[in-house]
Amino acid sequence: MDLLRQHAPADHADLPGPATEQMLAAAEERMGISFPQDLRAWLLQNNLDLPEEDVDDDVACCGFAGFPDEGTFFLGIRAVEGLYANRSMPGGFDPPDQPDDPFWRNEWIPFLSDQDGWTGKFIDVRDGRVGRWFVGEITITGEYESLAHYFDSVAELLTKIADGDHPVCEVAEGRLVWS
């Protein structure tokens, strides 16, 4: 977030700020799962839910467009809950006949998504690893060792953009602009 503030201050200024412990506890109770410490720390610094008046009821997930890339965005607590409710299954995984290679497990908490909820990243509460899902494709588990490792990759991306070394993004008037 410091890199975003430094290199794209207008985008950073649009972000709403932190969640509270009470918000996290209420979400965990409603979802029936505890957030891993890395995810808690992230949300306590950055609850990226859009203001209620900006939420579009016609999309599966709402968030701040253009960060960390043009097609996806980090989820705030409301969006995490909504997408988790959409993906979780009574038996714990989907499809129910593939427990060893599911498309989705209830131990996975989404933290990044596209508007349709068709693709994104999740953190596995069992071991803290970050994976990726895409509807119609095989879910990848362990894409990153941890949320911290994933954020290291985002920091690297923001540094490349700031240095002018990214082929499809630049900073203009304090905002990330994707071509």
Side-chain angles (χ1 to χ4, degrees), residues 68 72 96:
T72 59

Side-chain angles (χ1 to χ4, degrees), residues 22-125:
Q22 294 80 6
M23 293 167 74
L24 290 175
E28 288 174 324
E29 185 174 329
R30 287 187 295 268
M31 293 169 62
I33 192 166
S34 295
F35 292 170
Q37 191 56 40
D38 283 354
L39 185 58
R40 291 183 71 75
W42 165 252
L43 292 169
L44 286 170
Q45 293 178 30
N46 306 288
N47 177 26
L48 300 178
D49 276 325
L50 288 176
E52 288 287 339
E53 62 272 9
D54 294 339
V55 172
D56 184 347
D57 293 330
D58 294 330
V59 299
C61 295
C62 293
F64 290 85
F67 178 66
D69 61 43
E70 74 175 324
T72 59
F73 48 85
F74 291 113
L75 303 175
I77 293 173
R78 283 191 321 265
V80 166
E81 281 189 77
L83 189 53
Y84 183 82
N86 180 273
R87 294 277 177 236
S88 62
M89 300 296 291
F93 48 88
D94 178 27
D97 61 341
Q98 295 181 22
D100 295 329
D101 191 24
F103 169 71
W104 189 263
R105 296 188 71 87
N106 289 358
E107 295 91 359
W108 299 342
I109 300 176
F111 67 89
L112 181 135
S113 179
D114 67 343
Q115 285 189 336
D116 298 322
W118 287 13
T119 185
K121 296 197 183 300
F122 60 84
I123 186 167
D124 190 325
V125 300

Side-chain angles (χ1 to χ4, degrees), residues 129-161:
R129 294 183 311 152
V130 171
R132 176 178 56 90
W133 85 91
F134 191 100
V135 173
E137 293 185 11
I138 296 172
T139 299
I140 296 172
T141 57
E143 183 179 25
Y144 294 92
E145 187 177 314
S146 67
L147 198 56
H149 283 95
Y150 168 71
F151 282 123
D152 286 345
S153 76
V154 173
E156 184 178 315
L157 173 69
L158 285 172
T159 301
K160 285 180 180 180
I161 293 168

